[in-house]
Amino acid sequence: MPDMSASASLAMTHLVPLAKEVDENKVTPGVLGFIVFAVMALAVWGLMKSMNRHMGKVDFQETPEQGASDKGAGSGSGGKASPAKG
């Protein structure tokens, strides 16, 4: 176990000077930030394309039921609402 703490402290001593070299007033996301943003943009584009494809398959016209004309005439319902089918 002493080797792990020694290597950790050695890594910290090498990384601290690198962190001091970065200008605190000029920090940019860099290449990794661009790659992450580009992947997210491609994912959103793919999801929107898929959503458009699926929405194109949806039929927004409601088809009337076969017994709708009988219910509209009021034959036997007596004006009372029928229970919902579900």
Side-chain angles (χ1 to χ4, degrees), residues 4-58:
M4 289 289 281
S5 63
S7 63
S9 64
L10 182 64
M12 287 302 292
T13 56
H14 287 293
L15 291 177
V16 168
L18 290 175
K20 294 291 183 189
E21 292 176 9
V22 175
D23 184 15
E24 293 179 5
N25 296 326
K26 188 177 180 183
V27 178
T28 62
V31 177
L32 180 63
F34 174 76
I35 291 171
V36 169
F37 184 77
V39 167
M40 288 175 60
L42 286 173
V44 168
W45 178 77
L47 286 171
M48 292 294 288
K49 191 170 181 173
S50 174
M51 185 188 70
N52 276 338
R53 198 176 321 128
H54 285 292
M55 291 297 283
K57 294 178 184 178
V58 174

Side-chain angles (χ1 to χ4, degrees), residues 71 81-86:
K71 288 181 183 177
S82 61
K85 296 178 183 176

